[in-house]
Amino acid sequence: MSHPTPAHPLNAPTAPVPPAGSPAAARTAPSGAPTAAALLDFVRRTAADRALVDSLPLDPEGRTWVRLEGPGGSEAWLIGWPPGTGTGWHDHADSLGAFATARGTLTENALAVRLPASGWKTLELADGLDRSRRLGEGGSRAFGRHHVHEVLNESPDTHAVSVHAYYPPLPLIRRFSRTGAVLRLEQVERPEDWQ
Ligand SMILES: [Fe+2]
């Protein structure tokens, strides 16, 4: 089955996210929508819920996932990643989001650039845009709109489990292939493709 998008998600100039629980971590924007800080707080707390995390069925052959109730109408997922699995390069269009590793370690490779929303098929990336980070158990991050990344479990032998939240609920995912500095738009997936 195709993946919903363990996506997850930063893009380049990303607004700093205040620590969860801090006075600055406003939980909703003036519009009432959940903020990146609220999503980050949610994924952190959920990833620490051992009973929930342990309830996810794991499959050594492929990713598994369970949909969760995210805050403020956001879309949330609990995702299991067998060793060697990953998402491929993608973005989440106009959704912002957050994810947290509950078990194992995930690697996020991201591009520190905001891609044009439309009107292109291939882009040549400038030097110095690649960012890579490893999120071990308890590690988390938030990301803004149009964040381009791939998420991978690079472990040779250990399953990873993570929690992801997006707002607005994912309208679409753009999938890219990458050859060196060239990024190519391959596919636009809409929710009906993977729900
Ligand atoms: Fe993603």
Side-chain angles (χ1 to χ4, degrees):
M1 54 188 174
S2 64
H3 190 279
T5 190
H8 323 298
L10 149 84
N11 50 8
T14 298
V17 176
S22 74
R27 303 191 63 81
T28 58
S31 63
T35 61
L39 298 181
L40 186 61
D41 181 57
F42 169 79
V43 298
R44 285 173 170 167
R45 285 187 289 104
T46 305
D49 182 340
R50 188 52 68 182
L52 175 69
V53 170
D54 288 347
S55 73
L56 178 69
L58 301 181
D59 178 351
E61 300 301 319
R63 282 177 290 173
T64 50
W65 52 87
V66 171
R67 185 147 184 184
L68 304 174
E69 188 79 16
S74 59
E75 176 173 336
W77 297 89
L78 179 64
I79 298 174
W81 310 70
T85 54
T87 59
W89 287 93
H90 65 277
D91 76 1
H92 313 115
D94 292 324
S95 296
L96 48 80
F99 65 104
T101 302
R103 223 195 267 169
T105 299
L106 291 174
T107 299
E108 183 200 39
N109 297 321
L111 296 178
V113 66
R114 178 177 287 252
L115 302 180
S118 60
W120 62 278
K121 179 71 177 175
T122 61
L123 283 179
E124 183 157 356
L125 301 168
D127 289 341
L129 296 178
D130 284 290
R131 302 287 184 271
S132 185
R133 68 186 68 207
R134 289 167 65 81
L135 298 177
E137 186 171 321
S140 60
R141 78 177 301 4
F143 54 90
R145 295 174 175 82
H146 306 288
H147 180 54
V148 182
H149 70 169
E150 63 172 351
V151 179
L152 315 131
N153 178 7
E154 297 183 305
S155 168
D157 54 19
T158 304
H159 230 97
V161 176
S162 55
V163 180
H164 305 249
Y166 312 88
Y167 189 87
L170 295 172
L172 57 82
I173 298 167
R174 297 189 298 179
R175 293 199 175 274
F176 310 103
S177 62
R178 182 162 175 199
T179 306
V182 177
L183 195 68
R184 176 185 296 272
L185 175 62
E186 296 288 354
Q187 189 176 353
V188 178
E189 294 182 7
R190 297 176 187 281
E192 56 269 28
D193 294 331
W194 37 261
Q195 283 184 348

